[in-house]
Amino acid sequence: MTVRIADNGPGVRESMKDDIFGKGEKGLESAGTGIGLYLVQSLVESYGGDIRVEDNDPTGAVFVVELQAAE
């Protein structure tokens, strides 16, 4: 199963797409703790899934979560 969450914000720079899921990483002007996407990735991977960020056309980002179907 694939879930795609898109926005029309400033997007994610190519150089940050791999690092954005790191513990403590924060986006531009973020007041957050940098733990949110790290936790999402940890949970998704613990269930055998994958998460990545892609460009949204014409602007923004798309977070793609792929999970295995329940047996």
Side-chain angles (χ1 to χ4, degrees):
M1 172 170 75
T2 301
V3 177
R4 302 172 66 83
I5 300 102
D7 69 22
N8 61 352
V12 177
R13 291 181 301 211
E14 196 65 38
S15 62
M16 290 294 301
K17 287 184 180 173
D18 289 331
D19 297 334
I20 198 168
F21 298 100
K23 189 174 184 180
E25 292 292 328
K26 295 192 270 186
L28 301 173
E29 302 178 24
S30 173
T33 62
I35 196 88
L37 289 175
Y38 169 76
L39 287 176
V40 170
Q41 182 182 43
S42 296
L43 286 169
V44 168
E45 288 180 350
S46 74
Y47 286 97
D50 186 49
I51 184 169
R52 66 183 180 277
V53 63
E54 300 175 346
D55 294 332
N56 194 11
D57 188 28
T59 63
V62 181
F63 286 83
V64 182
V65 179
E66 294 180 348
L67 299 169
Q68 296 178 10
E71 295 179 17

